[in-house]
Each structure stands twice: as C-alpha cells, then as structure tokens.
Amino acid sequence: MASTSASVPNPQPSSKEESSIHKLAKIIPRSKDLPWYQASYGSRLTPETRILLEHYAHVPPSEIEAHIYKIRDAAWTVFPFPCIGEFWFLTLGLSAHPRYNDLLARVKSASDKTRPLLIDLGTCLGQDLRKLVYDGAAPTQLLGVDVFPDFEAVGHDFFRDADRFAGRFVAADIFSTADSALARTKGTWDVVASCMFLHSFDWAGQVAACKKMVELAAGPGSWIMGGMTANVHAREQVLKPPFVPEGVKRSVFMHSKESFGRLWDEVKKDTRVEVKVWAEYEEGESESKEANEQGAGNLFGNSEQKLLWYMIEML
C-alpha cells in the first residue's frame, strides 16, 4: 500500500470554492439562545472521556468541569453545531464501535508506526484520535480532517497536547475538487473513519461522501467504518429554522440499516468496487430519549432514532 508523509500540510479552504457549510458559518449566529446550547453537560461526560482528560490531557479532576465549559464555548465560536451545544464531543464515538478492538489491533500491529494509516473525517476536536493514542496508537499513524481549521487549536487546548499531537489535522472540504493536501492522499488509507458525519448530508451528499471515502481508501483490505444517527424508518428530513437561517433550503437523510445498504449499492455501482457492508443499530436506549431528558433542542429527536454502526470492507 502507498504511504504518505508523517506530517501533512494544513491548507486553508479555497475562497474560490467556498462550501455550503462555510457560507452557513458566516450567517448562523453564535447565540447561546439557540435551543441546542445546553447549560449543563449532564451525563454526556462518560467515564472513558474523564479518564482521557485526567490521564492523557492531565487535567486535574477538580478542574475538569470548568475545562469542559471553557472548551465548549471556544468550539461554539468556531461553529454552533448541535454536537457542540449538546456536548456530544464528550461521548467518544469510534471506541464504542463493535469492531474497535479489531481496529486497535490493526493500528498497533502495523510494522511502520510512522506511516499514516487512519484518517478521521469530520474529526471536530479530534477526540476519537486522542482515544486511539491513549490506547496505544502512534500519533504519526493518524490524521483528522475537518472543514473548520480553528477546531485544531480548540482540540489542542482540550487535550493539552499541542506538543504531542502536532501536524495531525488537515483543514479541508472532502467535496472540493481543488488540489490539496487531502486530495494528494487518495488511495493511501488503510482505515477511513467517521463518526456523526454522514447524517449531515442528504442522499446525494452521502453518495458523494462515500465515493470520496472509497477514493481515499487504499483498496482491497481497507476499512471504511464509523457511526451515525439513524432512524428505524428511513426518511428525508427538511431542516427548518433555527437549524438553518430563514430562506435557506437544506435537508438531511436519516437512514435505517436497510437503506444504508441501498446507499452502498449505489456507491458500488458508481465506483465499480466490491465491498462487504455491515450495519447494525446500537443496542439499548435511543439517542433521542437521552437527549430529550437533558432538555436538548435535538435536531433529529424522536422515539425511532437510533445510533447506527457500520463497517465497509473493501474486497
């Protein structure tokens, strides 16, 4: 498999090819009156994240609460995502994946620890990557990608690791056709990961995103894996204010595990690749119940909302 350099340049988004999310970023207010800006993180802080903050970031236990609120507000000024306002960045995604132990074994057993092999799309503060490092991965094996470059500095502040996790972030729009540091890594990644990313797009956007994932993957033997918000009944959801400004038309597609398989049927047809698709709901209570109990202005919340894990193995 081809390799990439251990450190990847951090390009700024092209002004000539401004993405729709950058356009929204200019007009969406950072108001704390938005319904998904929660006053308290409640039960969002999991034991795993607390351990990460204490033992990886070395935040004293007595300072963790204030540290979390400070970081949430810093991330909010970058972009007021519901996952920021509702503290979802405190709930680790990738390490909860049913195949996480397989992923960790693959990363740790790599013969060349300087070769980047896992890319995390929509990395936000890079919390899943820090968990991988804490569990034994080398930082040089990992790269986070997000459309907002300022999330890199917020992530460094959150985990207090600017000296240990430098050069592991690229600001890029995966849909951009421009030559970029990200585009130059096509066909090199053993694992293309993303958590809470695909559900941000409509069907056509998800097809385009999955085709980009296939392009990034190194080929047979590579994995495309992650998790997203889903619904037992697949449906398109039109976003309305305050989730988008007045006059902005935007929708997202909420998958069931069956419709997710159909999505990949379309991707396979368009890319002419062979893949094995696995998708399953998280066992237990729905995400919406927890969100509603905490008073969240949940974007997708209803009683049929689920967390859907997926693993795509390239054949």
Side-chain angles (χ1 to χ4, degrees):
M1 297 179 184
S3 65
T4 59
S5 61
S7 181
V8 184
N10 187 357
Q12 298 297 314
S14 168
S15 60
K16 295 181 179 180
E17 197 171 346
E18 186 176 47
S19 67
S20 60
I21 194 70
H22 278 106
K23 293 175 182 177
L24 281 175
K26 291 181 176 179
I27 56 178
I28 289 183
R30 273 56 171 174
S31 171
K32 295 180 181 180
D33 292 330
L34 289 171
W36 56 89
Y37 183 91
Q38 291 183 264
S40 170
Y41 56 75
S43 62
R44 287 282 190 265
L45 179 59
T46 64
E48 293 79 12
T49 305
R50 179 176 287 277
I51 289 171
L52 202 58
L53 289 173
E54 289 185 13
H55 299 288
Y56 173 83
H58 305 298
V59 180
S62 62
E63 298 178 12
I64 284 179
E65 182 174 347
H67 183 64
I68 288 171
Y69 290 123
K70 176 185 175 183
I71 293 301
R72 192 276 297 270
D73 285 350
W76 185 257
T77 64
V78 177
F79 193 85
F81 283 117
C83 64
I84 298 297
E86 295 178 357
F87 296 97
W88 280 109
F89 61 91
L90 297 178
T91 302
L92 299 172
L94 200 56
S95 61
H97 195 288
R99 295 285 300 274
Y100 180 71
N101 287 338
D102 295 332
L103 168 64
L104 188 60
R106 181 170 188 165
V107 173
K108 291 173 67 175
S109 65
S111 57
D112 182 2
K113 297 297 192 295
T114 66
R115 182 177 75 84
L117 60 80
L118 182 147
I119 189 168
D120 181 31
L121 304 180
T123 195
C124 194
L125 305 187
Q127 59 272 20
D128 286 328
L129 298 184
R130 270 53 170 226
K131 173 61 172 170
L132 277 165
V133 172
Y134 182 73
D135 286 343
T140 49
Q141 295 179 288
L142 313 174
L143 184 70
V145 177
D146 204 283
V147 73
F148 292 107
D150 290 342
F151 277 145
E152 179 181 24
V154 180
H156 282 152
D157 289 344
F158 189 30
F159 293 104
R160 298 182 174 178
D161 63 353
D163 58 334
R164 294 174 286 149
F165 205 75
R168 311 322 312 155
F169 183 102
V170 161
D173 180 353
I174 68 166
F175 300 112
S176 173
T177 59
D179 182 37
S180 68
L182 177 62
R184 291 191 289 274
T185 71
K186 288 195 299 185
T188 67
W189 297 100
D190 291 13
V191 181
V192 180
S194 64
C195 285
M196 302 301 148
F197 175 71
L198 280 175
H199 66 218
S200 303
F201 308 108
D202 60 13
W203 180 282
Q206 291 174 6
V207 170
C210 290
K211 288 164 70 172
K212 290 293 185 182
M213 293 177 185
V214 170
E215 288 181 6
L216 288 166
S222 298
W223 297 344
I224 297 171
M225 63 186 296
M228 62 181 179
T229 302
N231 196 290
V232 293
H233 298 295
R235 60 189 174 87
E236 182 181 30
Q237 179 158 324
V238 177
L239 302 185
K240 300 178 180 180
F243 294 106
V244 292
E246 290 285 352
V248 173
K249 295 182 179 180
R250 187 179 176 91
S251 64
V252 296
F253 192 86
M254 297 288 291
H255 279 285
S256 65
K257 63 181 181 180
E258 293 80 13
S259 70
F260 188 71
R262 294 194 295 273
L263 175 78
W264 274 94
D265 286 340
E266 185 170 335
V267 174
K268 287 191 295 183
K269 180 180 178 181
D270 291 348
T271 59
R272 297 182 179 180
V273 298
E274 291 298 322
V275 299
K276 178 182 178 181
V277 178
W278 172 89
E280 191 56 70
Y281 300 122
E282 171 80 354
E283 296 181 0
E285 298 291 344
S286 68
E287 284 186 317
S288 60
K289 180 177 180 181
E290 181 184 356
N292 291 335
E293 285 176 350
Q294 294 193 45
N298 197 291
L299 178 58
F300 304 118
N302 63 67
S303 61
E304 297 179 333
Q305 180 175 306
K306 300 290 184 181
L307 174 59
L308 183 69
W309 298 114
Y310 60 85
M311 168 73 86
I312 315 299
E313 300 183 58
M314 299 190 66
L315 305 177

